[in-house]
Structures are given as C-alpha cells and as structure tokens.
Amino acid sequence: MFTFTKKADYALLALSFLATEGDGRLVGPREIAKRYEIPAELLAKVMQTLAKRQLVSSVPGPTGGYRLARPADRISVGDVVEAMDGPLAIAQCWEEEGPQGCAQSQHCTLRGPLARIQEDIVRLLRETSLADVITPAPLLHPRPVSGPALTMFNPRARTAASSPKN
C-alpha cells in the first residue's frame, strides 16, 4: 500500500491550518495539535523540520510560532513529503549498489514499469500545491476507466466485522 507517513500527514495538516485558519498570524504547534487531535510533541518536531526546509517561518519565544514561508500555491505536496520523508520513491529498490541496493537489480523486470509509475507520482505530487489541497474540488475521475473502483484505506475506521467480540 502506498501511503504517506504520519509525519507527512501531520505536516500537510499543519500547513493546511496555517494556510486557512492561520491567516498570516503566528501559530503555535499546540494550537494546531489541539485542532487535529494529534500529539503536540511530534507536531513540534514536524514544525521544526518544516522550518529547516524553509516551508514555514519560525519566530521563537512565548509569543512566537509559525507561519507559511511562502504562499500556499508555491508549496507543493512533493515539497512537504520530501521534507518529512526524504526522496520520493514508491519502492525501496532504486539504488543498485551499496548496502541499500537491491540484490535483484541485475535481473529485475519491474524497474522499468515501476520507474514510469514513480515519475508520474512524483510529477503529480510536485504539481499539486498546498492551495490545491485546501481547496475543495470534485474528483476528476471517481472511477478508473476500467477495472474495479479504487478504495481509500482508513486504518482508524473500524467495522463491526473487524471489531473484537466481547
């Protein structure tokens, strides 16, 4: 399953908050954490990383906080994910040599097709801005052209079938 890490999720939530409810003012991580019910300590670390990557501006002190470092339409989802997780990759086998290299790289037939998918995903993440994310819009293609519909997995959602029986 392709998914963003929690840090990337929290970073996108925080930046969305700054772009909408922050309104250019300084916002502390606790305010954002309270709004989304996420751990304040983890969000503080996320915000520090975003500041180091110059996606937010930081003002220290008791009246300090964070604000977007540039307009929301100039921050891409790719910028945010790379800031939190490093280079964008759909598979862990892109390096051919070294300790992280893939032992099957010499004989692998998947690298070419996966590389095309990788390029499309990276392009889409880089073309999608924070402004796009915070602007409600209908799905362009709610169903694939052919095949079954894709579903979103929500690990927090529990159904009666998955709930433990008492």
Side-chain angles (χ1 to χ4, degrees), residues 7 30 32 70 74 77 80 83 116 119 121 132 148 152:
K7 286 182 180 180
R30 291 201 182 279
I32 300 167
R70 54 185 186 254
R74 292 190 38 228
V77 172
V80 178
R116 288 191 298 276
E119 290 168 4
I121 289 173
D132 296 328
M152 298 298 288

Side-chain angles (χ1 to χ4, degrees), residues 5 7 13 20 49 70-71 77 96 103 106 112 121-122 154 158:
T5 64
K7 286 182 180 180
L13 285 172
T20 56
T49 300
R70 54 185 186 254
V77 172
E96 292 187 31
Q106 296 295 320
I121 289 173
V122 169
N154 181 349
R158 294 174 58 129

Side-chain angles (χ1 to χ4, degrees), residues 90 93-94 105 108-119:
I90 62 167
C93 63
W94 297 113
S105 66
C108 181
T109 60
L110 301 176
R111 290 175 67 84
L114 288 180
R116 288 191 298 276
I117 294 168
Q118 166 85 16
E119 290 168 4

Side-chain angles (χ1 to χ4, degrees), residues 75-166:
I75 298 173
S76 77
V77 172
D79 292 337
V80 178
V81 174
E82 283 183 312
M84 301 315 303
D85 300 335
L88 300 168
I90 62 167
Q92 297 176 352
C93 63
W94 297 113
E95 293 184 36
E96 292 187 31
E97 299 176 9
Q100 301 298 318
C102 177
Q104 289 79 32
S105 66
Q106 296 295 320
H107 309 288
C108 181
T109 60
L110 301 176
R111 290 175 67 84
L114 288 180
R116 288 191 298 276
I117 294 168
Q118 166 85 16
E119 290 168 4
D120 287 346
I121 289 173
V122 169
R123 179 188 47 74
L124 184 60
L125 292 175
R126 291 202 173 126
E127 289 176 355
T128 305
S129 73
L130 180 60
D132 296 328
V133 172
I134 62 175
T135 304
L139 289 174
L140 296 177
H141 303 286
R143 291 183 155 252
V145 175
S146 65
L150 295 175
T151 58
M152 298 298 288
F153 173 72
N154 181 349
R156 291 185 194 155
R158 294 174 58 129
T159 62
S162 66
S163 297
K165 301 199 192 272
N166 292 335

Side-chain angles (χ1 to χ4, degrees), residues 18-40:
L18 293 176
T20 56
E21 298 177 43
D23 197 31
R25 68 184 170 88
L26 292 172
V27 178
R30 291 201 182 279
E31 180 180 350
I32 300 167
K34 183 178 179 183
R35 167 71 166 77
Y36 294 109
E37 299 179 6
I38 57 180

